[in-house]
Amino acid sequence: SHPKAIGIMVHIESPVKGISWSGSVGYSDAENKIKLTPDQPALIASSIKTYISATILRLQEQSKLSIEDAIKDHLTNRTIKLFESDGYDLDRIKIKHLLSHTSGIEDYANDEYLDWVDKNQKHRWTRDEQLDLTIEVGNRFGKPEDVFNYADANYLLSTEIIESVTKKPFYESIRELLKYEELGFMNTWFPTLEPQNEQTKPLVHQYWGEKNWDSYNHDISWDLYGGGGIATTTKELAQFSYNLFNGKIIKDKNTLNQIFTKIETKDGKDNKYGLGLSIGDVNGYKSYGHGGFWGTVVLYFPKMDTSISVFFLERDERILRKNVLEALVNELTKEK
């Protein structure tokens, strides 16, 4: 009933109901009319933010850092000089402020950035280049906890912190700390930074009709270094969510529970955001998860002990994620 969506993918991970099911409809390649299969990976964009937050909390669990640490303690000299040159007090900004988007940091990923990416789709970005752009685009929004301002720059700084602590590339550390091998995540990786598993199906094409974008035409580096970057399947995304909230990744409950931390800001707005985690509900069922630029979302429902991931392959149709989630929650909760 929504052919403009091109392709829709779903996974439900609900061991308590005996369900681990993936489904798909439509095409993985609109131009060549290649049928979409449920086990194809996609770019999850900002849905990665929960992975980054979980990685930081794993490092806290290992007593290698604390989310209360000043970010100045863990950034490179280059980055420290860059942000201090624009008036940021890096002794006052804590890691938890990055993860909750309450740092006061302006973002590079604005409309002008997307327009530039549109005209330079093959440009190979570096993280440093995007951090430089963060300082160029404007001044800080305020001091830590003044305002909530969603900014990918917060998460680029977070991956730099991961590297500083682990002395490894952030993507290697994420893989190890989030226990990909132990949990069987064979189809989750950072394209261009890591090799794709030979058994993994081809990435789907993801579209933005408004700008005539096809993800295959872009160098992924425009959204690669923590704000986005991971490719995975609906199944592995939902299983990551399920395992995370069931203590299989972060085993210490006190540490895991910090992911639900909501930092109240002086502007008084309820941002419904934890640490790399959106807080909401579907049909009255509380949910924790994150959506992504291209039209992805994953939610964990504590009352049902169930995770659901939904991918729309056309960004312009992403509003329909809500309809699909409502229909699936209705199906899972109706009396038989």
Side-chain angles (χ1 to χ4, degrees), residues 49-267:
K49 289 184 169 69
T50 311
Y51 287 72
I52 303 298
S53 178
T55 301
I56 294 283
L57 289 172
R58 279 280 287 130
L59 290 171
Q60 177 169 298
E61 186 180 38
Q62 295 177 347
S63 301
K64 293 180 178 177
L65 56 67
S66 166
I67 60 170
E68 298 292 338
D69 288 350
I71 64 173
K72 190 172 183 177
D73 295 342
H74 301 294
L75 295 174
T76 64
N77 288 333
R78 180 195 186 279
T79 300
I80 291 169
K81 290 178 182 177
L82 176 68
F83 277 78
E84 288 185 341
S85 73
D86 203 34
Y88 288 100
D89 184 348
L90 303 187
D91 286 312
R92 293 190 61 182
I93 301 174
K94 299 178 180 180
I95 294 173
K96 68 180 182 182
H97 295 136
L98 299 180
L99 300 178
S100 60
H101 299 292
T102 59
S103 64
I105 292 174
E106 171 66 287
D107 199 21
Y108 65 91
N110 53 24
D111 289 342
E112 289 76 15
Y113 176 72
L114 292 176
D115 288 342
W116 199 93
V117 169
D118 184 40
K119 295 178 178 66
N120 302 273
Q121 295 184 11
K122 296 299 185 183
H123 178 70
R124 182 67 182 181
W125 292 87
T126 66
R127 182 173 59 198
D128 282 346
E129 190 179 5
Q130 290 168 338
L131 290 176
D132 288 343
L133 190 57
T134 299
I135 299 306
E136 290 173 19
V137 295
N139 296 319
R140 60 191 176 90
F141 276 104
K143 297 174 183 176
E145 302 186 21
D146 277 357
V147 299
F148 173 84
N149 179 58
Y150 187 93
D152 281 356
N154 287 313
Y155 277 74
L156 270 63
L157 293 171
S158 297
T159 57
E160 186 174 297
I161 288 170
I162 292 168
E163 290 185 342
S164 171
V165 172
T166 64
K167 311 303 181 189
K168 295 177 182 178
F170 70 90
Y171 46 90
E172 289 182 12
S173 297
I174 290 170
R175 176 173 294 278
E176 291 174 12
L177 289 161
L178 300 187
K179 308 177 184 179
Y180 284 14
E181 187 172 343
E182 177 184 329
L183 296 171
F185 298 159
M186 305 301 292
N187 306 298
T188 302
W189 81 108
F190 281 84
T192 72
L193 297 180
E194 299 179 290
Q196 179 176 337
N197 188 320
E198 290 182 1
Q199 279 72 50
T200 299
K201 296 278 184 72
L203 269 171
V204 298
H205 290 249
Q206 291 165 275
Y207 300 93
W208 186 8
E210 180 186 329
K211 284 189 177 289
N212 197 30
W213 281 17
D214 177 339
S215 58
Y216 266 58
N217 296 332
H218 287 78
D219 188 302
I220 189 180
S221 61
W222 75 273
D223 187 31
L224 180 61
Y225 302 106
I230 283 177
T232 191
T233 59
T234 52
K235 180 177 182 178
E236 290 189 13
L237 179 57
Q239 289 182 337
F240 162 75
S241 169
Y242 182 85
N243 281 294
L244 175 64
F245 294 112
N246 277 276
K248 302 292 177 61
I249 295 172
I250 301 168
K251 295 188 181 298
D252 180 71
K253 287 186 178 180
N254 290 332
T255 303
L256 175 59
N257 285 339
Q258 289 189 52
I259 204 167
F260 304 110
T261 301
K262 280 179 63 179
I263 295 178
E264 303 298 330
T265 50
K266 291 178 183 175
D267 59 8

Side-chain angles (χ1 to χ4, degrees), residues 309-327:
S309 57
V310 178
F311 295 177
F312 271 77
L313 302 193
E314 168 54 73
R315 172 178 159 81
D316 288 342
E317 298 292 295
R318 68 193 185 281
I319 193 172
L320 295 172
R321 291 176 299 188
K322 181 174 182 287
N323 303 58
V324 172
L325 285 163
E326 287 175 348

